[in-house]
Amino acid sequence: MFRRGCCLYAHVARVTVDLTQALVERDLGSVQGGVEELVRNALDADAAVVSVHVDEDALGAVGSVRVVDDGDGMTPDEAMRAFGRYRESWKGAARTSRRRSRALLGRRGRGRYDAFAVGDIVVWDSVARAGDGSLTRTVVSGNRAELLVFEVDSQPAEPGAPIGTTVTVTGTHQKSLGLLRADVPARIAAALGAYLMRHPDARVEYRGTAVDPGLVQIRTDDPPVDAAADPQAVLQVVEWATAAKPRDAGQGLFLCAPDGRALHEVTDGLPWSDLPWTAYLRSAVFEGNAATLTFEHGAPEPVPAVLTAGLAALAAHLAGRADTDGARLLASWRDEGTYPYGRPPRNQVERAERGLFDEVALAASPVLRSTDKGGRGLSLRLLREAVEAAPSRLGRVLAQVVGLPENSLRDLNRLLDRTSLSAVVASASLAANRLDSLRGLETLLFDPGSRKQLLEREQLHRFLEDEAWVFGDEYAMTGSEIGLTEALRRHLKALGRDELLGTKATPVTTADGRSRRLDLMLTRTVAAGVGRLDHLVVEIKRPSLTLSASEVTQIEQYAHAVSHDEQFAGRDVRWDFVLVGNDMDDFVRDSVDSDGVRPRVSGKGAYRVRVLTWSQILASCRQRLEFVRSSLELQSGVADGLDYLRREHPDRLPQALSGGQDVAEAG
């Protein structure tokens, strides 16, 4: 991604980013955003103190901006890597900071460029400890006129030099005058308040004044926690000022050490409230069992006992706070039946979506209160649709349908500028549906009642036709229940050999002369120089059948027929034949390798035969979805899977699942 130019002298190198100036210019943000990004980078480098200095010149303008930290600094090699890449960072693959294990604030790999929104010339002067224990000093210089070029000067640091980084920005722009405003610390608190509360070992100072999360808090309460396992456990609940709520604050419960350091965030199973709150549960139990906190209620005792007591105290506190004006108004809409949501949110994405809806609806409440029940219900439903489908259209809905005044619309636009839910909602909806689909498929295959009744062709095949992503996101359905000769026709069409489609093909049969039918045929195109075509043929057996030599022989006959028929020939074509069932006998299990691959039978061309269980396929699907699931904190249980089946595939369910009764967790 980067290349080094010739050295200017022994310890100076030039790093050139392989991009265009216009692309980087387009990404530059605001002046304050640039300062905030420098502070975030310092905190991610495990700084204990970050100080922002804004120096005025003789005319009262901003002469320079300096961000000084005592973090880990940059070695020359780290500087060459960091400044030679754009939108790439070591933080993208990391979960926490390197030394203090803090939550990471930046992952985009372009934060250093935001400094050029503050001024034209930026210098990073950094002292760090190298791998051999020696101190190195690295100075990186950049100019907005050449955003793609940085000079990196490295040399041994003076003995005793303090480790850390100072970023100096000069050539400041006129808009940097805003950095002299008295409310800047409060605005920085709005960006970093929740982080500073989670990590009390971090301190940010702005022009000599500590950035205090209390600047954006409405109130802080310490409700009592009845935890026999730790009588010293303390719960702190913070309510944020809605207009200045920290961007990294959401409804969540942080499990903390006694000194307030956040060790783990709980986001599922939380009590719901319309208030913008964040809670912190401090206990020595959590510090002593930090490695097990991710299991939450499944962790060894006494972690679950203290967590359960904290959640009970939190629920009681939020219930007592439900008499706030906004909460009362939302409750009144629920009581009259105009509030468009019928159940509490189930995950972080739904909570964010619901929070946005509530904020927008409350912003429009002066107008909504003046309408009758029918008009109010219609307006709230339209707002929900806009939030779910396209948050960017909320302003138009409020202006044209609800009739919100211009000044209120400006407030809303500021809210939406801080919200990027549309892409999140779309990707989360797809991921949630797929997780629910997996749960539903698992129930179809392993629930005792369903397993006995499930019909192979009429139900399981039809389900998989619509859920072909289970076999790979890149595959597309080519055919279901098609004969080998029809498979040839579709193969030729996928190859673009349209001139052969009009000719009469020789019927394709297995060695016994029979024209077999393929359960599912899927195809993908792999671009590798010249495009390669991959076909996947899936033979599905009912859940109650244990795969044996008879079923393996059947799938190998398909492979034999295709590999011996010249009509299927293609230089860049690969075939994958997969036999799938719930279980296999010992003969079959001993005849395949760890990936389910059978020994190659005779034939030409590139192909293989595999035998897999549904457990293996479901595990592979979950692995593909795990990053999105954990990032969006989505959960899917048996009830969610059943709901998905009954909603999306009502005519493909066995009698055991088609009613309203629940089933036990699938194995």
Side-chain angles (χ1 to χ4, degrees):
M1 186 71 183
F2 71 87
R3 54 182 184 272
R4 301 185 185 189
C6 62
C7 292
L8 302 181
Y9 47 93
H11 50 265
V12 176
R14 172 168 290 195
V15 177
T16 303
V17 184
D18 201 7
L19 285 170
T20 64
Q21 176 94 2
L23 175 63
V24 181
E25 284 269 8
R26 189 175 60 205
D27 273 353
L28 297 185
S30 65
V31 172
Q32 181 172 322
V35 173
E36 290 176 5
E37 196 61 36
L38 291 174
V39 172
R40 288 189 182 94
N41 285 344
L43 293 171
D44 285 346
D46 284 325
V49 180
V50 184
S51 301
V52 181
H53 305 268
V54 181
D55 303 316
E56 296 181 65
D57 60 21
L59 299 177
V62 175
S64 66
V65 176
R66 290 177 296 122
V67 179
V68 183
D69 72 68
D70 60 356
D72 292 340
M74 293 183 293
T75 65
D77 286 343
E78 288 172 338
M80 294 294 289
R81 287 195 298 269
F83 285 86
R85 294 180 170 92
Y86 187 66
R87 291 183 175 173
E88 293 182 37
S89 170
W90 66 269
K91 291 181 277 188
R95 294 178 61 87
T96 60
S97 64
R98 289 167 171 163
R99 180 164 51 87
R100 297 181 186 267
S101 297
R102 294 175 180 163
L104 292 171
L105 291 165
R107 297 178 184 272
R108 300 175 301 168
R110 64 177 183 88
R112 56 195 170 277
Y113 289 95
D114 285 343
F116 291 102
V118 183
D120 290 338
I121 299 173
V122 186
V123 176
W124 289 260
D125 191 341
S126 188
V127 175
R129 192 170 299 282
D132 61 2
S134 63
L135 291 180
T136 63
R137 182 184 179 192
T138 305
V139 179
V140 181
S141 305
N143 192 314
R144 182 162 179 167
E146 290 185 283
L147 281 174
L148 308 181
V149 178
F150 295 93
E151 289 188 356
V152 181
D153 181 349
S154 60
Q155 54 190 310
E158 297 179 2
I163 293 175
T165 301
T166 297
V167 183
T168 303
V169 185
T170 55
T172 54
H173 309 142
Q174 185 174 1
K175 289 183 178 180
S176 64
L177 285 171
L179 297 176
L180 301 175
R181 291 172 47 175
D183 66 343
V184 173
R187 287 189 283 153
I188 294 178
L192 297 172
Y195 176 92
L196 294 174
M197 290 200 66
R198 295 201 301 273
H199 303 292
D201 59 342
R203 175 182 173 88
V204 177
E205 299 173 347
Y206 189 84
R207 305 191 75 192
T209 300
V211 173
D212 182 7
L215 295 171
V216 289
Q217 295 171 5
I218 294 177
R219 59 183 289 159
T220 301
D221 295 286
D222 299 319
V225 180
D226 184 13
D230 183 8
Q232 305 301 315
V234 175
L235 176 65
Q236 183 181 51
V237 183
V238 176
E239 291 178 28
W240 306 100
T242 303
K245 177 183 172 184
R247 291 193 288 272
D248 62 337
Q251 290 185 340
L253 171 65
F254 290 92
L255 307 185
C256 306
D259 61 5
R261 287 177 293 113
L263 304 172
H264 175 68
E265 182 181 6
V266 178
T267 56
D268 290 312
L270 299 177
W272 171 247
S273 170
D274 298 302
L275 299 170
W277 60 269
T278 306
Y280 307 86
L281 182 59
R282 301 197 299 271
S283 171
V285 166
F286 299 147
E287 185 174 34
N289 297 274
T292 69
L293 294 183
T294 55
F295 297 103
E296 298 179 2
H297 292 285
E301 292 290 357
V303 169
V306 179
L307 174 57
T308 299
L311 286 170
L314 177 61
H317 171 76
L318 294 175
R321 290 286 299 138
D323 60 351
T324 61
D325 183 60
R328 283 200 307 269
L329 181 57
L330 292 169
S332 70
W333 291 341
R334 291 190 186 94
D335 291 341
E336 71 177 10
T338 56
Y339 190 75
Y341 294 92
R343 59 168 174 75
R346 297 176 298 176
N347 53 57
Q348 185 167 333
V349 173
E350 288 189 7
R351 281 195 292 275
E353 180 184 294
R354 187 76 57 88
L356 175 60
F357 172 84
D358 288 348
E359 288 198 57
V360 172
L362 290 174
S365 62
V367 176
L368 293 172
R369 283 174 173 175
S370 64
T371 61
D372 59 23
K373 178 180 176 181
R376 184 162 48 251
L378 174 61
S379 297
L380 289 171
R381 286 197 302 275
L382 289 172
L383 286 181
R384 174 182 175 174
E385 291 176 7
V387 166
E388 292 179 345
S392 60
R393 294 208 309 262
L394 277 170
R396 187 183 310 166
V397 172
L398 287 166
Q400 297 180 1
V401 180
V402 181
L404 200 64
E406 183 64 30
N407 60 335
S408 297
L409 282 173
R410 284 196 298 270
D411 292 340
L412 172 69
N413 287 331
R414 282 194 290 271
L415 167 68
L416 294 179
D417 285 342
R418 304 199 309 270
T419 306
S420 57
L421 278 177
S422 55
V424 174
V425 169
S427 61
S429 177
L430 176 63
N433 281 340
R434 289 192 170 183
L435 286 168
D436 291 345
S437 172
L438 282 185
R439 272 295 193 177
L441 178 57
E442 187 178 53
T443 302
L444 280 175
L445 295 168
F446 297 108
D447 174 72
S450 171
R451 179 173 176 165
K452 292 178 182 177
Q453 299 174 359
L454 186 65
L455 300 177
E456 181 181 320
R457 286 182 168 80
E458 289 81 358
Q459 293 172 335
L460 185 56
H461 283 201
R462 300 290 87 80
F463 173 90
L464 293 170
E465 286 173 12
D466 292 339
E467 308 283 349
W469 66 270
V470 167
F471 301 106
D473 295 291
E474 66 275 25
Y475 280 104
M477 181 65 64
T478 305
S480 174
E481 286 292 311
I482 59 174
L484 287 169
T485 305
E486 176 62 17
L488 169 62
R489 196 187 72 82
R490 300 190 185 191
H491 163 69
L492 294 173
K493 186 174 181 63
L495 282 177
R497 302 294 303 275
D498 293 345
E499 75 279 4
L500 299 178
L501 294 176
T503 62
K504 187 174 181 179
T506 302
V508 183
T509 63
T510 54
D512 57 4
R514 299 173 62 184
S515 179
R516 300 278 189 171
R517 300 184 68 81
L518 307 180
D519 285 352
L520 297 174
M521 177 176 172
L522 303 96
T523 302
R524 68 177 178 181
T525 300
V526 181
V530 180
R532 191 187 84 219
L533 201 64
D534 285 359
H535 293 305
L536 175 65
V537 175
V538 184
E539 181 67 20
I540 303 163
K541 297 303 177 183
R542 64 183 182 275
S544 58
L545 176 69
T546 298
L547 302 181
S548 65
S550 175
E551 288 74 40
V552 172
T553 299
Q554 180 184 355
I555 192 77
E556 289 189 337
Q557 284 180 335
Y558 297 163
H560 182 273
V562 169
S563 64
H564 279 75
D565 196 310
E566 296 292 340
Q567 298 174 100
F568 282 100
R571 183 178 57 187
D572 294 311
V573 179
R574 296 184 183 179
W575 290 82
D576 206 2
F577 296 87
V578 180
L579 173 64
V580 185
N582 273 28
D583 199 5
M584 61 184 76
D585 64 19
D586 290 340
F587 172 81
V588 176
R589 187 174 292 106
D590 293 341
S591 71
V592 298
D593 64 16
S594 59
D595 293 320
V597 179
R598 285 270 299 171
R600 176 71 180 263
V601 297
S602 63
K604 304 174 183 178
Y607 77 93
R608 66 177 176 176
V609 174
R610 289 187 294 161
V611 184
L612 299 174
T613 64
W614 278 114
S615 294
Q616 291 173 292
I617 291 176
L618 292 173
S620 174
C621 291
R622 288 200 178 91
Q623 186 177 22
R624 301 202 315 262
L625 288 169
E626 175 56 26
F627 175 75
V628 176
R629 188 208 66 77
S630 60
S631 298
L632 298 178
E633 299 174 356
L634 297 171
Q635 299 294 329
S636 181
V638 171
D640 301 302
L642 276 174
D643 179 67
Y644 181 85
L645 290 176
R646 291 164 180 164
R647 184 178 70 248
E648 302 295 333
H649 303 283
D651 57 341
R652 297 164 191 175
L653 301 182
Q655 184 63 34
L657 302 182
S658 59
Q661 70 271 25
D662 293 331
V663 298
E665 284 282 345

